Amino acid sequence: METKTLPVCPVETTLTLISDKWKVLILRDLLSGTKRFGELKKSIGGVSQKVLTTQLRQMEDSGLLNRTVYPEVPPRVEYTLTELGYSLKPVLDAMGSWGEAYQRKNT
């Protein structure tokens, strides 16, 4: 995990780790299990390879996911949430519930 000073406010700390929309979508996709880079890129859509790579590296540095490289040709890279990453499930579930309620109310 990165050794940087975290904000005093717990909400701000959470936002520091998952504030980018791509990170939230990566978490959403990895909650169902391990995924390869191409699977993530395809399921997220609209994200460039460079941005996805950057987001995955930041999440790995924060301890939210593990990156496993298999010594094959071509190399196979898989991403899996850590226990810390899985602990964000209630947060994402709450965001999903709130979004569904908002959609129902505003459609």
Side-chain angles (χ1 to χ4, degrees):
M1 183 175 272
E2 290 181 345
T3 55
K4 64 179 183 177
T5 305
L6 293 173
V8 174
C9 172
V11 172
E12 191 176 348
T13 297
T14 304
L15 287 174
T16 298
L17 294 173
I18 64 167
S19 62
D20 187 282
K21 86 172 184 180
W22 304 120
K23 289 179 183 174
V24 173
L25 296 178
I26 291 166
L27 286 167
R28 174 202 66 191
D29 286 356
L30 291 178
L31 280 171
S32 63
T34 299
K35 300 269 188 302
R36 293 175 70 171
F37 184 89
E39 292 175 296
L40 288 169
K41 186 162 182 346
K42 183 177 179 181
S43 95
I44 292 171
V47 64
S48 72
Q49 184 167 331
K50 180 182 178 189
V51 169
L52 182 56
T53 299
T54 300
Q55 299 298 300
L56 288 165
R57 284 186 182 148
Q58 289 174 357
M59 293 174 74
E60 183 181 16
D61 289 344
S62 297
L64 297 176
L65 59 82
N66 287 321
R67 176 179 182 262
T68 305
V69 180
Y70 295 91
E72 302 172 355
V73 177
R76 178 170 49 113
V77 181
E78 294 182 340
Y79 297 90
T80 307
L81 289 180
T82 61
E83 189 175 327
L84 180 64
Y86 276 113
S87 73
L88 285 162
K89 184 179 184 324
V91 175
L92 294 180
D93 288 346
M95 290 171 69
S97 296
W98 187 91
E100 287 174 1
Y102 182 85
Q103 288 174 334
R104 281 193 303 274
K105 186 176 180 180
N106 292 287
T107 53

